[in-house]
Amino acid sequence: TQLLEQSPQFLSIQEGENLTVYCNSSSVFSSLQWYRQEPGEGPVLLVTVVTGGEVKKLKRLTFQFGDARKDSSLHITAAQPGDTGLYLCAFRTGANNLFFGTGTRLTVIP
Amino acid sequence: DAGITQSPRHKVTETGTPVTLRCHQTENHRYMYWYRQDPGHGLRLIHYSYGVKDTDKGEVSDGYSVSRSKTEDFLLTLESATSSQTSVYFCATRETEETQYFGPGTRLLVL
């Protein structure tokens, strides 16, 4: 069974602070995705990273794929209350399905 | 947004009763998926479909069956609901290999 560990499990910070959340595995991935899920809704795709060492930016969010393609991080600069949600990473399996991590639940306090 | 609706959005049922959840999409996507989401487990794949009448099992398929008679509809059936099937169920469709869209979810409580 492939494992995808996300840390921290919970994170509560003040508005304006920076944060980083992590997604780690012992397996090598062809690609990795990050989703955000707000309460009562389904996950929404934020980004897909494919190349080892790749860095992608989405406004205040910076996504990095590890050089060995086994891990990824999401950094948020100057967090806003609208960033509150569950952040999930996922990789595509050999059967072309998605396997999700357990998520990091972020709360940004105004 | 891939025009995915799920029904019902909330359901309470009793152990041993059959339950069917419906997923409807308007984008004509070939692939459709059913996931369940539980605390500490993230999203886990139950079943998926790669075309009309073409389905396959996912990670946690025991106790569930699916049917897809039309491109736009994917049904998930719990033949005899158990308390362990209390969960939030999400339907998803796939536009490309890297793009999945999720529905709003169905919250199911089995008493």
Side-chain angles (χ1 to χ4, degrees), chain A residues 5-24:
Chain A
E5 296 183 358
Q6 291 192 244
S7 61
Q9 189 176 356
F10 298 95
L11 185 58
S12 182
I13 63 170
Q14 294 290 331
E15 181 176 358
E17 292 183 346
N18 301 333
L19 67 112
T20 302
V21 299
Y22 301 91
C23 176
N24 294 287

Side-chain angles (χ1 to χ4, degrees), chain A residues 31 33 35 37 40-43 45 48 86 88 92 96-102, chain B residues 9 33 35 37 40-43 45 48 59 90 94 97-100 102-104:
Chain A
S31 65
Q33 299 186 328
Y35 289 79
Q37 184 178 17
E41 300 182 6
L45 178 65
T48 301
L86 179 66
L88 296 159
R92 194 154 43 87
N96 237 5
N97 297 322
L98 285 179
F99 185 89
F100 285 84
T102 53
Chain B
R9 292 295 313 278
Y33 304 84
Y35 295 87
Q37 186 173 35
H41 289 280
L43 283 150
L45 182 64
Y48 66 100
E59 182 187 356
F90 287 96
R94 192 177 93 185
E97 277 193 349
E98 303 294 350
T99 308
Q100 276 197 15
F102 286 82

Side-chain angles (χ1 to χ4, degrees), chain A residues 17-58:
Chain A
E17 292 183 346
N18 301 333
L19 67 112
T20 302
V21 299
Y22 301 91
C23 176
N24 294 287
S25 176
S26 57
S27 301
V28 176
F29 306 128
S30 59
S31 65
L32 191 134
Q33 299 186 328
W34 283 94
Y35 289 79
R36 179 170 64 213
Q37 184 178 17
E38 298 187 15
E41 300 182 6
V44 175
L45 178 65
L46 296 174
V47 76
T48 301
V49 286
V50 178
T51 306
E54 181 177 6
V55 176
K56 282 191 173 179
K57 292 193 174 184
L58 188 64

